[in-house]
Amino acid sequence: MHTHGHPQGHAQGHAHGHAHDHARTHGHAQGHGHHEHGHNEGLAELLELDAEVLHDYHAGIFGWVREHDPSGRVRSVADLGAGTGAGTLGLLAQFPGATVTAVDADEAMLHRLAGNAAARGEGERVRTLRADLDAGWPAGLGGLDLVWAANSMHHMADPPRVLADIRAALAPDGLLALAELDSFPRFLPEGAEGGLEERCHTAMARRREQDMPHMGDDWAAALAGAGLKVEAERRFEAALSAPLPEAAARYAHASLSRTRQGLADLLDPADVAALDELLGDGPRSLRRRADLTVRAARTVWIARRVS
Ligand SMILES: C[S@@+](CC[C@H](N)C(=O)[O-])C[C@H]1O[C@@H](n2cnc3c(N)ncnc32)[C@H](O)[C@@H]1O
């Protein structure tokens, strides 16, 4: 992690967003579109565990993004729908001369993000900006060399509008890197528990059809439609197997408990009971399993503002 190279003259520290004072909660495509209290705390925990367990996988993606900046000109970066900061921190490591504006509608996420940045000694290079991107582009956010948007674009009510705003906020030759999950993480070996996890994923897909109509959009077409030139597209697969770091079991637990909470109404009662056993402390507990894996995949598109 680089701790040097703080450019002068950037807005730094904890700046609070423009215009949007209402708190929003956002359904997560894992099937939790119900805005119950504490919902996003669970999401924040999940995002942090994802960043920890798949650290090397994410670092590989950020390294690939940096390959599209061979002259090292990236200084001003925005992370849209930044969550707890996996992207913000990963990009700071790859672009030592850059500062990142982390944008999110959720103040609690930004609070955790600022804490995570400070814990890494990177607080000075991060500015948090609370803004609901559905309500319009944040005033003053422009001249960007790189915009990173990971698993956030599908949350937007009108992605083409946001993509057009991103294009306008990019500096000439600026880059947009868009990452979207192809599949949510799977933790049980294929076919385990009679195919329980596959049935959970099928239920997730059904819930997403209701809650997340833009999940799985044709993003290359959307980028081109916004006047950006798509330069690269790459699918990144993660496949961790035993022996896993200890945090992987916590990640599996956090993820499957969100599945249990968010999808119980779509699952067979026997599957809900099986999830409860995995999540409990009994003989079938996840904690006792030595066969857990972490399998996930996302696609990243790199697009440039050429005019
Ligand atoms: C699935 S999380 C992804 C977080 C992070 N980019 C990552 O990959 O770890 C989606 C994030 O987008 C934020 N978000 C959703 N809709 C938004 C909107 N309209 N404006 C700003 N942020 C939004 C949520 O609050 C959440 O933090």
Side-chain angles (χ1 to χ4, degrees), residues 24 26 28 40 43 47 50 79-87 103-106 109 131-134 148-152 154-156 298:
R24 284 185 52 146
H26 293 272
H28 186 245
N40 276 0
L43 174 57
L47 294 174
D50 178 78
D79 181 0
L80 303 182
T84 55
V103 181
D104 206 287
D106 185 335
M109 288 287 184
D132 175 358
L133 292 166
D134 281 339
W148 169 254
N151 301 316
S152 52
H154 67 259
H155 285 273
M156 303 295 148
R298 67 196 71 199

Side-chain angles (χ1 to χ4, degrees), residues 166-287:
I166 292 171
R167 182 189 169 280
L170 284 172
D173 287 328
L175 292 170
L176 167 60
L178 182 71
E180 287 282 331
L181 276 183
D182 294 337
S183 62
F184 281 92
R186 286 171 165 75
F187 300 97
L188 300 178
E190 250 170 83
E193 307 295 322
L196 170 67
E197 202 169 28
E198 263 339 286
R199 288 193 295 282
C200 291
H201 280 257
T202 303
M204 261 180 229
R206 276 179 60 201
R207 178 57 45 78
R208 281 199 302 266
E209 279 169 22
Q210 304 157 1
D211 287 357
M212 300 278 164
H214 292 296
M215 186 106 190
D217 274 7
D218 181 346
W219 295 109
L223 292 162
L228 293 158
K229 180 169 178 275
V230 179
E231 289 194 346
E233 171 179 340
R234 184 161 155 192
R235 185 169 193 269
F236 292 85
E237 282 185 25
L240 303 186
S241 49
L244 292 177
E246 179 274 329
R250 280 188 281 128
Y251 184 28
H253 194 276
S255 182
L256 289 170
S257 12
R258 283 174 62 79
T259 298
R260 161 72 179 86
Q261 281 161 29
L263 298 177
D265 57 329
L266 292 180
L267 290 170
D268 193 277
D271 284 342
V272 176
L275 281 171
D276 283 338
E277 291 205 42
L278 287 170
L279 293 166
D281 290 323
R284 295 177 64 196
S285 170
L286 278 180
R287 295 190 182 91

Side-chain angles (χ1 to χ4, degrees), residues 43-66:
L43 174 57
E45 186 195 359
L46 203 62
L47 294 174
E48 286 179 356
L49 286 166
D50 178 78
E52 180 180 347
V53 172
L54 296 177
H55 175 272
D56 294 351
Y57 167 76
H58 290 296
I61 294 176
F62 299 126
W64 181 71
V65 172
R66 190 187 52 185

